[in-house]
Amino acid sequence: MPVDFSGTWNLISNDNFEGYMVALGIDFATRKIAKMLKPQKVIKQDGDSFYIHTTSTFRDYSLQFKIGEEFEEDNKGLDNRKCKSVVTWENDKLVCVQTGEKKNRGWTHWLEGDDLHLELRCENQVCKQVFKRA
Ligand code: VLP
């Protein structure tokens, strides 16, 4: 039985988001706003097809992909750098590698109990987010 990430998820913790944003080159003023946000994630999973919508009072970001199929990601409203992204399963974890200007860029999603976890990586920075079902 494959893992199902589908649902609506609210952020409950956000460790080192500041370091991750600095690594992405997000400016000071934007970081001050962004770190106050409590984003919500809506995930729709149909087999190996995913739709992930991250919403906040400030900006939204949406992503659609199929496991193993590389796609162009524009990161619009985030750092706006284009990259080539691919998401694969590593056991029950969803692992995204974002190849572009920034080294070691990517993220991993997994479920732990009834919580959704997200690790965001860029260069030498790791941000750890936890979400609970809305
Ligand atoms: C940019 C960096 C905050 C900060 C300024 C804007 C969208 C995995 C993946 C799917 C992400 C979330 C990226 C957060 C990067 C912030 C606006 C915050 C709300 O999620 O679920 O895209 O990459």
Side-chain angles (χ1 to χ4, degrees):
M1 258 275 279
V3 190
D4 189 1
F5 290 86
S6 296
T8 301
W9 304 90
N10 291 331
L11 184 82
I12 56 157
S13 68
N14 196 1
D15 296 340
N16 195 37
F17 190 46
E18 172 70 10
Y20 175 74
M21 289 193 289
V22 169
L24 278 179
I26 305 297
D27 68 82
F28 180 84
T30 305
R31 293 203 311 272
K32 296 303 123 190
I33 298 168
K35 74 165 110 186
M36 300 301 294
L37 303 172
K38 292 277 175 275
Q40 184 173 72
K41 252 180 224 291
V42 176
I43 303 181
K44 291 175 182 168
Q45 178 181 350
D46 179 11
D48 275 352
S49 295
F50 286 81
Y51 169 78
I52 302 181
H53 192 194
T54 309
T55 63
S56 75
T57 52
F58 179 50
R59 282 180 197 162
D60 292 1
Y61 187 68
S62 64
L63 196 62
Q64 242 179 306
F65 59 86
K66 281 186 184 158
I67 296 295
E69 292 186 10
E70 190 180 71
F71 58 98
E72 280 257 359
E73 193 175 0
D74 61 9
N75 296 288
K76 202 167 162 55
L78 305 181
D79 67 320
N80 296 304
R81 280 189 196 82
K82 289 191 170 47
C83 55
K84 299 245 192 234
S85 302
V86 65
V87 184
T88 55
W89 287 113
E90 284 186 16
N91 299 312
D92 285 343
K93 293 188 174 184
L94 212 50
V95 179
C96 180
V97 175
Q98 297 171 306
T99 305
E101 195 185 321
K102 292 290 177 183
K103 300 292 172 216
N104 191 37
R105 183 170 183 173
W107 51 259
T108 300
H109 265 302
W110 69 97
L111 297 176
E112 236 178 80
D114 203 38
D115 295 342
L116 173 73
H117 288 241
L118 172 63
E119 182 182 276
L120 294 160
R121 299 174 291 276
C122 182
E123 295 180 327
N124 60 343
Q125 296 297 313
V126 179
C127 166
K128 179 69 197 301
Q129 301 185 335
V130 181
F131 297 79
K132 280 207 178 296
R133 284 194 189 272

